[in-house]
Amino acid sequence: MRYLITSLFLITLFGCSEQSQTLKSDTYFGGEIINPKSKYVLFLKDDAVMDTIYLNKKNRFITKFKNLAEGLYTFKHGNEFQYVYLQPSDSVLVRLNTWNFDESLVFSGKGSSKNEFLINLFLQNERDDKAMSRHFNLNENDFEHKIDSLAKQREATFKDFASLEKDKISTNYRKLVNTAIYFPLYSLKEIYPYYYRIAHKQKDFPIINSDFYKYRSKINLNEKSLVSFYPYQNYIVSYLYNLSYQNKVISEKKLTNTLLHEIVNHIKLEKFKNTLLRRVVINDFLKSEPTCSIDQSALVYFLQNCTNNDYKNQLKSLVHDSKYVKNNTPLHDFEVKTLSNEVKTINKIIKDKKTVIYFWSTEYMSTDYLASRIRYLTYTYPNMLFIGIHLQDENSDLKNDPNLKLLNINNQYTLTNNSYAKQYLTSNYPRVIIVNKKGIVVNGFTYLDSKYLNSQLDKLELN
């Protein structure tokens, strides 16, 4: 029945003049977006955009490819993305609600069963990861037994699926599924020593038997076909972190610098290396101190070894932005616009109020996450003013966004073209500025997920 529905959908979009032979030889990808965040869907291969597919009036989309190579692709809408595996002559449709992107995702059409299996495996991995977080206190053998049990369950599930699909399971697809099955489990084993130490409040890492990591001998750290696949990429990062912690004890260097060295030493694929270097430096910038800052030696090493000029320029801009608003100084006034285009000044809005100003962008966070986080903070700190400033110029969709309607829309703004604040938002990266009721900056650069945020707001509330 789902194949019939897909065929009818294709006919509706392209008309009855399409020949059946064309439908057999071409590959189709399309679907329907409920509560769309933008007017299009991006179709990508290895992070490179292959097609921009626009939604029609019914929020449906479709694209056709000739001679599309079998493999894993990505489709992106708003700031959310998901994978789709396609083979020649597939006609895969997706249907999803942006309010619950992954959980609402449904596939139909020829080739849909492969994708349904993958998305269900991803969701199961997330549940298993959360469940395993309770077991890092176990000894090495008991923890490995838990991992082995999960592996056997996943293997059995795939065996049942493959027996139904029979000759439809290609070698490439099987390789991808094996990565999705095992690599999240390998990641758990890589981070085990770190969390075991925390669980038992130990100073040193536990001594792990080499057999615990025997799977490493089978792993290629530079598998080009997998670098854009999250389970593979996440494992590589977990492995390099584990290696860095071990080498840090020997070298006594800062962990971030050790990790950057491990990336350069082990990752030979240039694009992948650049991605990991950027990820580590930005992660260190965000998590190192209550007020975000970049370690100078790490920045120098990054600039020396990263060959992506866009990444290098973004980090330079981030350093510039982080130094522009200084703690314990008055907040420099700047202009903002209401969602009705009324111009106001920030100092007038926040006068005599303890204020959290959060600059945000849908490029980095979804509105449902933003609404959830801000609602929690406003409930926890009812005597503080939370001001949201959207970094993207267009604001027509903000007024109608159902998630933002859960917030006080009167506290949502954008910047005017000549706003002074743009001088320290050159990287377009989200940031939070905390100001006391006297208009003095308490923290010039933090972020909504900072582990220091609540303690800083607790302190501000008492003053």
Side-chain angles (χ1 to χ4, degrees):
M1 176 60 72
R2 69 184 179 207
Y3 297 152
L4 174 60
I5 293 172
T6 303
S7 298
L8 291 173
F9 185 30
L10 291 172
I11 291 170
T12 300
L13 287 168
F14 285 104
C16 298
S17 61
E18 290 282 2
Q19 298 298 314
S20 59
Q21 184 61 38
T22 302
L23 290 174
K24 289 180 181 178
S25 62
D26 295 334
T27 304
Y28 290 87
F29 174 67
E32 181 180 4
I33 307 291
I34 301 170
N35 300 310
K37 299 293 185 184
S38 67
K39 298 178 181 179
Y40 57 86
V41 172
L42 296 178
F43 186 83
L44 307 94
K45 177 65 175 174
D46 297 332
D47 298 325
V49 176
M50 291 181 61
D51 198 1
T52 300
I53 318 164
Y54 288 90
L55 306 182
N56 65 17
K57 292 180 180 179
K58 294 183 179 180
N59 296 327
R60 294 176 177 176
F61 66 97
I62 194 76
T63 192
K64 177 175 69 173
F65 298 99
K66 289 185 177 293
N67 304 317
L68 186 73
E70 176 185 352
L72 185 71
Y73 297 86
T74 305
F75 64 94
K76 183 176 181 180
H77 180 74
N79 69 322
E80 301 270 13
F81 77 92
Q82 192 48 266
Y83 299 108
V84 58
Y85 193 89
L86 293 172
Q87 292 176 273
S89 80
D90 277 352
S91 53
V92 175
L93 296 178
V94 298
R95 188 176 188 272
L96 61 89
N97 189 327
T98 61
W99 294 357
N100 202 9
F101 197 96
D102 289 343
E103 288 75 8
S104 68
L105 181 58
V106 176
F107 291 93
S108 63
K110 183 181 178 183
S112 63
S113 57
K114 299 189 295 291
N115 290 288
E116 287 172 352
F117 182 83
L118 276 176
I119 189 65
N120 288 332
L121 185 56
F122 294 153
L123 295 174
Q124 185 60 50
N125 283 343
E126 290 180 0
R127 291 190 288 269
D128 289 343
D129 280 353
K130 291 179 181 177
M132 285 299 295
S133 66
R134 304 194 303 267
H135 301 305
F136 285 118
N137 63 320
L138 297 177
N139 64 48
E140 175 187 327
N141 292 331
D142 289 343
F143 186 81
E144 188 164 36
H145 178 72
K146 293 282 187 182
I147 294 291
D148 291 342
S149 296
L150 289 176
K152 289 176 181 178
Q153 292 172 17
R154 296 177 185 185
E155 290 164 359
T157 302
F158 182 54
K159 184 178 180 181
D160 291 342
F161 170 74
S163 66
L164 294 174
E165 295 296 307
K166 297 181 180 178
D167 59 341
K168 297 179 183 178
I169 303 297
S170 69
T171 301
N172 288 338
Y173 180 76
R174 188 178 295 274
K175 178 181 179 181
L176 191 72
V177 170
N178 283 337
T179 303
I181 286 175
Y182 295 110
F183 276 56
L185 301 179
Y186 297 159
S187 293
L188 288 169
K189 296 185 80 170
E190 295 292 347
I191 65 176
Y192 166 76
Y194 177 80
Y195 286 102
Y196 178 91
R197 186 190 68 165
I198 292 176
H200 290 274
K201 300 179 180 179
Q202 296 178 348
K203 180 181 179 181
D204 299 321
F205 281 79
I207 298 174
I208 305 294
N209 190 299
S210 60
D211 286 345
F212 189 76
Y213 299 118
K214 59 186 177 183
Y215 57 84
R216 286 178 176 176
S217 62
K218 301 181 291 183
I219 292 176
N220 178 3
L221 298 179
N222 293 277
E223 186 71 58
K224 189 174 182 179
S225 64
L226 293 174
V227 293
S228 61
F229 192 39
Y230 178 76
Y232 175 83
Q233 189 176 119
N234 193 50
Y235 168 74
I236 300 300
V237 171
S238 299
Y239 164 70
L240 293 174
Y241 262 109
N242 193 5
L243 199 60
S244 300
Y245 274 110
Q246 295 170 24
N247 291 341
K248 178 179 179 292
V249 175
I250 299 172
S251 68
E252 296 185 352
K253 292 181 180 178
K254 185 180 177 184
L255 175 63
T256 300
N257 294 352
T258 307
L259 181 54
L260 293 174
H261 279 86
E262 298 298 347
I263 292 171
V264 171
N265 290 339
H266 290 87
I267 307 303
K268 305 308 176 185
L269 296 172
E270 187 174 0
K271 186 176 178 181
F272 190 32
K273 179 197 70 176
N274 289 335
T275 298
L276 294 181
L277 288 173
R278 173 182 175 272
R279 176 173 171 176
V280 169
V281 174
I282 288 183
N283 187 64
D284 182 62
F285 168 80
L286 292 174
K287 297 185 177 181
S288 58
E289 301 290 343
T291 298
C292 300
S293 62
I294 287 184
D295 178 80
Q296 194 60 33
S297 60
L299 178 63
V300 169
Y301 189 82
F302 168 81
L303 294 175
Q304 289 173 341
N305 290 277
C306 179
T307 58
N308 185 307
N309 287 329
D310 289 338
Y311 290 174
K312 292 164 78 169
N313 289 334
Q314 185 189 36
L315 263 296
K316 290 176 183 177
S317 294
L318 205 53
V319 172
H320 166 272
D321 294 348
S322 66
K323 294 178 178 179
Y324 217 96
V325 181
K326 298 186 183 299
N327 293 352
N328 304 314
T329 63
L331 179 67
H332 194 292
D333 205 7
F334 59 87
E335 289 184 337
V336 295
K337 289 190 299 183
T338 68
L339 299 190
S340 300
N341 288 320
E342 180 185 355
V343 176
K344 295 186 176 183
T345 59
I346 195 67
N347 281 344
K348 187 173 181 179
I349 295 170
I350 69 173
K351 185 178 180 181
D352 299 327
K353 299 182 181 72
K354 301 172 184 178
T355 306
V356 176
I357 305 171
Y358 57 96
F359 299 86
W360 65 281
S361 166
T362 51
E363 181 181 355
Y364 292 98
M365 68 181 73
S366 61
T367 56
D368 56 338
Y369 166 77
L370 179 73
S372 174
R373 182 65 173 146
I374 297 303
R375 289 180 75 194
Y376 162 77
L377 291 172
T378 52
Y379 176 81
T380 308
Y381 303 99
N383 297 321
M384 292 186 194
L385 177 62
F386 288 83
I387 296 294
I389 299 178
H390 191 226
L391 292 176
Q392 290 156 298
D393 290 334
E394 72 280 358
N395 64 7
S396 57
D397 291 332
L398 297 183
K399 288 187 291 187
N400 298 317
D401 189 290
N403 294 308
L404 294 183
K405 286 181 179 179
L406 299 174
L407 304 176
N408 184 344
I409 204 71
N410 293 324
N411 290 335
Q412 295 296 320
Y413 299 88
T414 59
L415 297 173
T416 61
N417 291 334
N418 299 315
S419 179
Y420 178 85
K422 289 193 173 185
Q423 296 188 50
Y424 50 80
L425 297 167
T426 61
S427 65
N428 290 319
Y429 211 82
R431 71 186 291 172
V432 169
I433 297 175
I434 304 173
V435 184
N436 67 20
K437 63 183 179 180
K438 295 181 180 179
I440 303 300
V441 175
V442 174
N443 191 329
F445 202 131
T446 183
Y447 62 107
L448 289 175
D449 277 344
S450 171
K451 64 181 180 180
Y452 304 105
L453 183 62
N454 281 61
S455 61
Q456 288 189 308
L457 296 185
D458 288 340
K459 184 178 179 180
L460 179 61
E461 193 171 44
L462 294 174
N463 296 328

